[in-house]
Amino acid sequence: MTSETSTPVVVRFAPSPTGYLHIGGARTALFNWLFARRQDGRFLLRIEDTDTARSSPEMTDNILTSLKWLGLDWDGEPVLQSANRPEHVRLCRDLLDRGLAYPCFCDPEEQRRRREEGPQAGMVYKYDRTCLSIPRDEAAARMKAGEPHAVRFRIPDGRTTLADRIRGDVTVEHAELDDFVILRSDGTPVYQVSVVADDHAMAITHVIRGDDHLSNTPKQILLYRAMNWPVPEFAHVPMILGPDKKRLSKRHGATSVGEYERQGVRPEALRNFLALLGWSPGDDREIMTLAEMTEAFSLASVSKKSAVFDETKLAWMNAQYLSRLTDEEWLKAAEPFLPVGAADAGGLKGWIPLMRPRVQKLSELTGASAYFFNDPEAYEPAAVAKHWPGPQAADILDGVRDCLKVADWNAAGLESAVRGLAEKRGVKAGALIHPVRVALTGSGSSPGLFEVMETLGAETVFRRMERAAAWIRSGAAV
């Protein structure tokens, strides 16, 4: 493999366990994984669980399970950020002792109010450095006396230029930044410190993450420099948007990896689809194995523009992967979406060949294939109105049933019998086929009717037709 870097690559995926693994997070994990494997590097996992009020073991388990389902393995054991909190606090105190940070005795609620009111007044909130002017000996005495205080990092003069591997050079004037809090008044460190400390401890060489973190990066670079640590390379991936070009969210439908698994999307299909959201292998390929994606992946090929999540494209891609499964593999994948025992109901010879071409997500089987295993509980109103327009529909069903009793019970024999009856009555075959379809499936659409009849068997077909005819004669269709 050729390499994008001369140093051993170490990347990380660092989700917060405050929710299920989001599609955007999954793509970030995938890009990190592909980059690491392409460079013969390491892909590490860190769970940023310092938000104790919102984090939960359940969400952590979900993240790990979803990554495994996607086929994204990690190196070593996952790191829990909360375990490193004492070291994060020590670093804040070290910056304070070296004069690179200072205590802030301002009322946190007052600062919060100013921060919230700033945008309403057309202003960007920026701390006014009130506490920076307090003499150090006075500040030390107030801290020693136990006066509540936060610790703020002192932004130096100058500017910071970030050489982003995706976006190019991004320059930020330090005058635009405020002296941000690194240690809260309750003694807990903030995200900026924790992420820098942990990335350094884990020897991260490249930070690949969503561009919603871009505003954090100049502050983090300043912390690296203040600690005299090497600064990793950064690559900020544009956000995933919904069809309305707004950030992908629940209003657009499913957003978590687990939801797509429950819809019957194959992991390899979702992985392939996510890889192409903002990245291209440089040719027209769309269906790629993980090995092929790894071989082709490059940060230079990641787009600077946001990608749009296209459910239709995902469904198409999933269908491509489903089509590559053997009947045995397809049946095993479909089993969770079928009634108990349905997988043993003559699937390989009967209903699987009929349903395979008709589903793009396996969850579609739950409703679409139900009639193969159980009599219809109801009849689709639109189909009833169109194909059972009156009591004569019951007579049609009786006539077809009678002609089928002497037919060869295979698709060709059944079709010959029904078409022969239609010709004898001087009607189009559809006038008989559609009413029967509703009787057998409860719906106006299905795979080929005669193949369905062959699969269901004569006993089931006759029972359902008699039941439907009785239903029609009862006046229920009126």
Side-chain angles (χ1 to χ4, degrees):
M1 289 186 179
T2 58
S3 177
E4 292 188 44
T5 176
S6 59
T7 58
V9 164
V10 183
V11 300
R12 50 70 167 178
F13 176 53
S16 173
T18 55
Y20 298 112
L21 181 60
H22 188 272
I23 285 296
R27 185 193 61 169
T28 297
L30 175 61
F31 281 8
N32 274 278
W33 191 96
L34 290 171
F35 182 74
R37 299 299 182 245
R38 179 70 177 85
Q39 306 299 322
D40 292 323
R42 303 182 72 216
F43 172 69
L44 307 182
L45 180 60
R46 182 172 72 237
I47 304 298
E48 298 193 335
D49 60 342
T50 52
D51 186 346
T52 56
R54 298 172 59 218
S55 298
S56 73
E58 177 190 359
M59 294 299 102
T60 296
D61 289 344
N62 172 267
I63 291 169
L64 301 183
T65 299
S66 294
L67 288 174
K68 290 176 182 177
W69 181 76
L70 282 170
L72 304 181
D73 58 326
W74 53 88
D75 300 300
E77 293 296 320
V79 173
L80 292 179
Q81 189 170 71
S82 58
N84 300 327
R85 179 172 290 172
E87 176 62 13
H88 304 161
V89 173
R90 188 194 68 76
L91 292 173
C92 293
R93 294 298 178 188
D94 177 65
L95 292 171
L96 182 62
D97 292 342
R98 292 194 287 132
L100 299 176
Y102 59 93
C104 178
F105 301 96
C106 297
D107 179 11
E109 284 302 311
E110 175 63 18
Q111 294 301 310
R112 182 188 60 79
R113 185 185 62 80
R114 291 184 182 183
R115 187 164 52 250
E116 292 176 352
E117 291 178 352
Q120 299 175 11
M123 301 170 58
V124 176
Y125 169 82
K126 184 178 178 183
Y127 180 62
D128 58 12
R129 287 187 158 180
T130 296
C131 293
L132 180 59
S133 61
I134 300 174
R136 292 193 66 178
D137 56 349
E138 178 185 337
R142 292 172 66 175
M143 287 190 290
K144 187 175 181 181
E147 185 174 345
H149 65 279
V151 175
R152 289 183 180 273
F153 181 74
R154 181 175 181 175
I155 299 292
D157 295 335
R159 65 178 58 174
T160 291
T161 296
L162 162 66
D164 192 276
R165 294 289 294 271
I166 295 174
R167 302 175 65 92
D169 287 351
V170 179
T171 299
V172 175
E173 299 290 340
H174 292 179
E176 299 175 7
L177 307 176
D178 67 341
D179 292 351
F180 59 95
V181 170
I182 57 175
L183 191 67
R184 302 181 184 91
S185 57
D186 63 3
T188 58
V190 301
Y191 165 79
Q192 308 287 14
V193 171
S194 298
V195 70
V196 167
D198 288 348
D199 281 350
H200 174 72
M202 296 169 73
I204 302 302
T205 60
H206 295 74
V207 175
I208 304 171
R209 59 189 180 185
D211 65 5
D212 54 330
H213 285 283
L214 185 59
S215 61
N216 294 320
T217 305
K219 298 176 182 179
Q220 292 170 9
I221 290 175
L222 290 176
L223 286 173
Y224 276 107
R225 292 173 179 167
M227 300 306 300
N228 296 314
W229 291 340
V231 180
E233 294 193 50
F234 289 90
H236 290 90
V237 182
M239 292 289 97
I240 299 175
L241 305 179
D244 57 0
K245 304 301 175 65
K246 296 181 179 179
R247 185 170 178 174
L248 189 67
S249 67
K250 281 288 186 182
R251 68 176 178 275
H252 298 111
T255 58
S256 75
V257 171
E259 287 177 290
Y260 284 102
E261 180 182 4
R262 288 187 290 275
Q263 288 181 11
V265 173
R266 299 288 296 170
E268 58 270 27
L270 183 58
R271 189 174 61 211
N272 193 159
F273 176 76
L274 290 176
L276 296 178
L277 286 179
W279 170 74
S280 168
D283 50 38
D284 295 331
R285 283 180 295 170
E286 290 192 298
I287 305 299
M288 292 180 288
T289 65
L290 192 56
E292 290 170 336
M293 286 187 278
T294 302
E295 180 63 30
F297 189 79
S298 166
L299 289 175
S301 300
V302 176
S303 175
K304 297 179 182 179
K305 297 181 179 180
S306 295
V308 175
F309 196 96
D310 185 345
E311 286 276 1
T312 302
K313 181 65 173 290
L314 173 58
W316 170 84
M317 186 168 285
N318 194 58
Q320 303 307 303
Y321 278 96
L322 287 174
S323 70
R324 299 182 177 200
L325 300 179
T326 65
D327 278 349
E328 289 79 4
E329 291 170 335
W330 197 92
L331 178 60
K332 183 177 180 180
E335 191 166 359
F337 303 93
L338 300 171
V340 175
D344 300 322
L348 298 181
K349 294 182 179 180
W351 60 268
I352 284 184
L354 302 183
M355 294 305 299
R356 282 195 66 160
R358 298 179 68 86
V359 298
Q360 292 186 308
K361 296 180 181 179
L362 290 173
S363 59
E364 296 167 7
L365 286 170
T366 302
S369 66
Y371 57 81
F372 281 109
F373 317 110
N374 298 292
D375 291 353
E377 295 182 359
Y379 302 107
E380 187 179 277
V384 168
K386 184 174 182 179
H387 302 302
W388 292 353
Q392 67 272 23
D395 297 331
I396 292 175
L397 295 179
D398 288 344
V400 174
R401 183 195 63 205
D402 290 342
C403 86
L404 292 178
K405 288 182 177 180
V406 295
D408 293 332
W409 205 266
N410 55 59
L414 296 168
E415 181 174 8
S416 177
V418 172
R419 292 190 181 279
L421 179 62
E423 183 177 355
K424 181 178 179 180
R425 293 188 174 185
V427 298
K428 292 183 178 180
L432 307 182
I433 291 173
H434 296 309
V436 173
R437 175 178 283 112
V438 179
L440 300 184
T441 70
S443 170
S445 63
S446 74
L449 176 64
F450 305 109
E451 288 78 8
V452 170
M453 294 169 69
E454 179 181 354
T455 301
L456 290 175
E459 181 181 351
T460 298
V461 168
F462 295 151
R463 181 183 68 250
R464 293 185 185 181
M465 292 177 72
E466 291 168 1
R467 176 173 174 264
W471 187 86
I472 294 169
R473 291 191 173 103
S474 73
V478 179

